[in-house]
Amino acid sequence: MGEIGMNCVKSESEGNSSLIQHEEFHMPYLVNPGLDVQPSVDDTIFSASPICPAPLCRQFWKAGNYDDEFVPKPRDQYKSNYLHVHPKFLHSNATSHKWAFGAIAELIDNAIDEVQNGASSVIVDKVSNPRDGSPYLLIQDDGGGMDPEAIRRCMSFGFSDKKSTSAIGRYGNGFKTSTMRLGADVIVFSRHANNRTTTQSIGLLSYTYLSLNGLDRIVVPMVDYEYNKSTDTFVPLPHHHKEQFQTSKSIILQWSPYRNEVDLMKQFDDIGPHGTKVIVFNLWFTDDETLEFEFESDPEDVCLQGSNNFKNINGKNLTSEVHIGIRYRYSLRVYLSILYLRVPQNFKIILRGKVVEHHSVASDLKYPEIILYRPHTGGTKEEVLATIGFLKEAPQVNIHGFCVYHKNRLILPYWQVLSYDRSRGRGVVGVLEANFIEPTHNKQDFERTSLFQKLEARLKDMAWEYWDCHCGLIGYQIKKPIRAPVSSLDSADAHPSFSRNEPLDTNTSLNFARVPVHRDDHVVNLRADSVFQNDQSSIQQRGVKRTKEDVLLALGNGIMQPASQAARPRNDKGALVLMQENKKLVAKCLEHEKVEEELNYKVSWLKGELELAQHEYERMLIVLQSLEFVKPED
């Protein structure tokens, strides 16, 4: 390729007279405030093209080979002490996402965080590029939207406006890494309203534009509009120079899917009074020159290439491949159904026109136990409730591991903490929310701190001991229980209920109270005050891994063969704590029953009063009708 010809292209004027009411404008924004990345006039001109150009390389993992041959040399590289951000950083920064669905989840997180600003839904859909018909990805929410300052922070590196402790986003990098992982280019439309005015902002982050024009720094063209009540139109914000506004608008029209300003402004029609629309186009290809996403096999889903290899399996045969523990890897609908431990009330995730039904992993378990884990976190007291049990399809399925959430967001799905030897541990799945450890930037793993290592060791012990005690419930022969070693990493923070195995004396009276475990079919809340229901009426317990009563119950029902040894908690103090907790729960239940009786009595009394009022109404209606009839005089 030779030298690229650069000719300035004026913005199209067709249909724009009603939108542009004066000569005001807003300058383009350049990623990272404080960095010397503002382009000169020569930096922002481009060659004309009938359609939005595609990147030179369509494979994501090869797109980082930026051709430095076309990078213009700075006129004076020592003129300024400010650093530049090279466009290659956009690609290298996005490689933190190995999995495309993880990048989509980042954009969904932004919509979930907007619930506090009134968001009620997020839409994920496939839409056709109006220029060439190629598919692009749409993510749209009806949250509070972004004003001109907020959208600039969004498209900068390291800035985050999320101050809430419950917010999922934190690092101020998710938007850039996720969008650049999904496609080469992204355009953002955001409308924000406050007491004074309503603004509209448009920003374009285009790896294609930067690479094809050989720019040596990141340039993000951006335009802003505000609502003019007198003319009932949106006009450019009155800032800076008209030439810079027109240049930014021209770049957006040249390198986005929209040909003119009228088409550009139409993208706000379905946003409503406030909200944000993210459009990722020039989606990446796989190494075999096919689109990374597969949209055709299921019109209500977005799949990864190769998903048909799983879907061709006969669904009548219960196999691991059709289980949700495998399907989430290639089906976006399945992954989004388990992405959040609890979906905010009145909030919907809409994928390709159909609402994603929330799925609780804990509802897939049989013979569940709720285990309390108290890690030492440097002075603060943390309590984590882990639900563990066998999958309902066990032992036919070969799926196991822990689904670990952080601030309601799934970080590690079906994390295999064990190196499964033979059948030991087969079908054991757990669910927990670990807010005391920090996730990595891509939210697909945790920082490998000492706290994380302690958690991993505890989950290993938990899975092994659960299997050793309950494997007979799913058809395996119980062998002599193996003493689970307690790791020196977490022995200091081990809860008394996490004890090692000891022989069971079946003649000894039971020392532990049973606590009912309640489960909701739709949402499972793992907080300490949560109540679960086990619809299979199996082993029920909270706070300990297993009790002598559990083993005796299984033996009495003939579910499993007698075992010479089983586990029991060694610490009587832990048993006393559980018994006291049991008494408190029973007292609360009695109190609720009393309140229920009072409410039932009140309902009955109100029904009686309503019937009397109805009879009186009917009587008065008859009297009224008789008064209306007047006999005519002779």
Side-chain angles (χ1 to χ4, degrees):
M1 297 178 62
E3 193 84 4
I4 296 180
M6 311 287 278
N7 297 312
C8 183
V9 177
K10 296 182 179 179
S11 61
E12 303 181 39
S13 59
E14 53 191 83
N16 296 342
S17 58
S18 62
L19 296 172
I20 309 300
Q21 301 295 331
H22 50 69
E23 299 291 321
E24 311 294 1
F25 50 85
H26 189 78
M27 74 177 295
Y29 182 74
L30 310 170
V31 170
N32 248 359
L35 297 180
D36 184 20
V37 291
Q38 181 173 351
S40 64
V41 176
D42 293 338
D43 288 329
T44 56
I45 57 177
F46 47 86
S47 57
S49 175
I51 64 172
C52 175
L56 293 175
C57 178
R58 298 304 302 272
Q59 290 84 22
F60 173 73
W61 297 106
K62 299 178 181 178
N65 300 326
Y66 197 96
D67 197 339
D68 295 328
E69 177 184 353
F70 303 107
V71 177
K73 302 298 181 182
R75 296 190 182 97
D76 185 357
Q77 61 184 12
Y78 302 106
K79 183 177 181 180
S80 173
N81 290 328
Y82 291 102
L83 300 178
H84 296 166
V85 179
H86 196 279
K88 285 191 292 187
F89 178 72
L90 289 175
H91 180 268
S92 59
N93 190 41
T95 56
S96 62
H97 283 292
K98 308 300 181 185
W99 188 39
F101 284 173
I104 295 179
E106 286 272 14
L107 300 176
I108 305 296
D109 291 342
N110 292 337
I112 290 286
D113 287 339
E114 281 296 303
V115 169
Q116 59 182 351
N117 295 323
S120 62
S121 65
V122 58
I123 299 172
V124 182
D125 208 345
K126 169 250 181 183
V127 188
S128 296
N129 191 318
R131 293 212 187 198
D132 58 10
S134 62
Y136 63 68
L137 204 59
L138 165 71
I139 297 94
Q140 178 176 340
D141 68 71
D142 58 350
M146 295 179 284
D147 60 20
E149 180 181 356
I151 194 172
R152 281 154 174 73
R153 290 184 176 272
C154 171
M155 304 188 80
S156 301
F157 293 96
F159 289 90
S160 178
D161 295 329
K162 299 175 182 179
K163 306 299 181 183
S164 173
T165 56
S166 61
I168 303 172
R170 173 178 179 181
Y171 299 107
N173 197 37
F175 174 81
K176 280 72 64 177
T177 59
S178 58
T179 54
M180 292 293 99
R181 171 61 184 86
L182 299 173
D185 310 290
V186 58
I187 186 169
V188 183
F189 302 86
S190 191
R191 177 179 288 168
H192 176 77
N194 54 34
N195 297 329
R196 294 179 298 176
T197 184
T198 299
T199 60
Q200 293 181 170
S201 299
I202 306 172
L204 176 69
L205 182 59
S206 174
Y207 187 69
T208 305
Y209 160 66
L210 298 172
S211 59
L212 290 184
N213 284 288
L215 300 185
D216 65 344
R217 63 198 71 184
I218 297 176
V219 177
V220 180
M222 190 170 294
V223 292
D224 304 299
Y225 302 84
E226 67 177 354
Y227 180 68
N228 189 320
K229 295 182 179 179
S230 60
T231 61
D232 192 28
T233 58
F234 280 89
V235 297
L237 279 175
H239 297 297
H240 306 291
H241 304 289
K242 175 183 177 182
E243 291 76 11
Q244 291 176 333
F245 177 86
Q246 293 296 339
T247 299
S248 295
K249 186 178 68 174
S250 298
I251 296 175
I252 293 175
L253 293 176
Q254 175 68 21
W255 298 87
S256 77
Y258 309 103
R259 299 176 181 273
N260 53 62
E261 192 174 16
V262 174
D263 293 341
L264 205 62
M265 301 298 284
K266 282 182 180 179
Q267 300 307 308
F268 289 97
D269 292 347
D270 61 346
I271 289 181
H274 46 75
T276 300
K277 177 188 292 187
V278 177
I279 295 174
V280 184
F281 56 102
N282 282 328
L283 301 176
W284 295 116
F285 284 9
T286 61
D287 290 338
D288 58 357
E289 302 292 337
T290 58
L291 201 63
E292 189 172 15
F293 294 113
E294 201 273 310
F295 299 102
E296 305 303 327
S297 60
D298 190 343
E300 295 179 348
D301 200 358
V302 176
C303 300
L304 294 178
Q305 286 294 344
S307 60
N308 289 330
N309 298 333
F310 296 94
K311 296 180 180 180
N312 291 332
I313 299 175
N314 188 350
K316 296 181 180 180
N317 297 326
L318 187 60
T319 60
S320 299
E321 286 75 12
V322 296
H323 191 273
I324 189 173
I326 297 296
R327 291 168 54 213
Y328 82 88
R329 301 175 184 175
Y330 62 84
S331 169
L332 182 60
R333 178 170 294 276
V334 174
Y335 176 57
L336 294 181
S337 70
I338 62 174
L339 183 59
Y340 301 103
L341 191 60
R342 299 169 295 274
V343 176
Q345 189 176 9
N346 300 325
F347 186 87
K348 298 179 180 178
I349 301 176
I350 304 173
L351 176 60
R352 302 195 71 179
K354 183 179 179 181
V355 176
V356 175
E357 297 294 336
H358 177 259
H359 182 83
S360 170
V361 177
S363 65
D364 293 336
L365 306 181
K366 58 184 177 181
Y367 315 123
E369 291 181 352
I370 313 302
I371 303 178
L372 179 63
Y373 173 50
R374 290 173 176 168
H376 283 177
T377 56
T380 60
K381 293 184 178 179
E382 296 282 348
E383 290 190 350
V384 178
L385 290 178
T387 306
I388 186 172
F390 287 115
L391 289 175
K392 292 178 179 179
E393 300 84 356
Q396 286 82 5
V397 296
N398 189 26
I399 297 173
H400 23 252
F402 287 83
C403 292
V404 186
Y405 290 79
H406 176 82
K407 290 185 178 180
N408 195 44
R409 160 73 140 81
L410 180 62
I411 305 297
L412 290 176
Y414 298 93
W415 174 35
Q416 296 188 10
V417 297
L418 301 177
S419 54
Y420 292 88
D421 181 22
R422 299 179 182 176
S423 60
R424 192 185 183 201
R426 182 185 178 96
V428 176
V429 170
V431 184
L432 68 151
E433 186 176 19
N435 295 333
F436 61 93
I437 50 179
E438 293 296 330
T440 56
H441 283 221
N442 61 3
K443 299 186 181 71
Q444 297 298 307
D445 202 350
F446 287 101
E447 299 288 350
R448 302 289 167 162
T449 61
S450 60
L451 280 176
F452 178 83
Q453 294 173 0
K454 293 177 181 180
L455 174 64
E456 183 177 16
R458 178 55 60 210
L459 295 182
K460 287 180 181 179
D461 291 344
M462 191 186 303
W464 269 328
E465 293 183 11
Y466 180 88
W467 167 266
D468 291 340
C469 179
H470 300 91
C471 63
L473 298 175
I474 59 172
Y476 289 93
Q477 183 178 2
I478 295 182
K479 300 180 180 179
K480 182 178 179 180
I482 302 174
R483 287 180 178 267
V486 177
S487 172
S488 59
L489 289 174
D490 55 359
S491 58
D493 63 340
H495 188 266
S497 63
F498 290 167
S499 59
R500 292 176 290 180
N501 297 340
E502 279 194 352
L504 170 64
D505 183 4
T506 56
N507 296 322
T508 307
S509 60
L510 299 176
N511 297 322
F512 289 84
R514 297 274 304 284
V515 179
V517 181
H518 299 281
R519 178 193 298 143
D520 186 280
D521 289 337
H522 301 290
V523 178
V524 175
N525 193 329
L526 295 183
R527 296 179 301 171
D529 58 347
S530 300
V531 188
F532 294 79
Q533 178 179 2
N534 177 15
D535 54 3
Q536 304 215 1
S537 301
S538 59
I539 297 177
Q540 302 173 347
Q541 170 139 6
R542 176 179 177 179
V544 298
K545 294 182 178 179
R546 52 189 179 272
T547 65
K548 293 177 285 187
E549 184 180 6
D550 296 332
V551 180
L552 292 176
L553 179 63
L555 291 173
N557 294 334
I559 298 177
M560 66 182 201
Q561 299 177 358
S564 59
Q565 290 184 336
R568 69 172 182 180
R570 299 178 58 184
N571 196 320
D572 293 336
K573 183 179 178 180
L576 181 60
V577 171
L578 290 175
M579 293 177 68
Q580 292 174 350
E581 184 179 1
N582 188 20
K583 291 180 180 179
K584 293 180 181 179
L585 291 175
V586 171
K588 286 184 179 180
C589 290
L590 294 175
E591 183 180 349
H592 289 314
E593 289 177 358
K594 184 178 179 180
V595 173
E596 183 182 8
E597 291 178 359
E598 294 176 354
L599 291 175
N600 289 335
Y601 173 78
K602 189 173 182 179
V603 169
S604 300
W605 179 78
L606 289 174
K607 285 183 178 179
E609 292 292 319
L610 183 61
E611 290 179 359
L612 292 176
Q614 185 69 24
H615 291 320
E616 181 65 16
Y617 169 76
E618 293 175 355
R619 186 188 66 79
M620 295 181 67
L621 185 62
I622 294 174
V623 173
L624 178 63
Q625 292 175 350
S626 63
L627 292 176
E628 290 178 351
F629 177 75
V630 180
K631 185 176 181 180
E633 298 182 1
D634 294 337

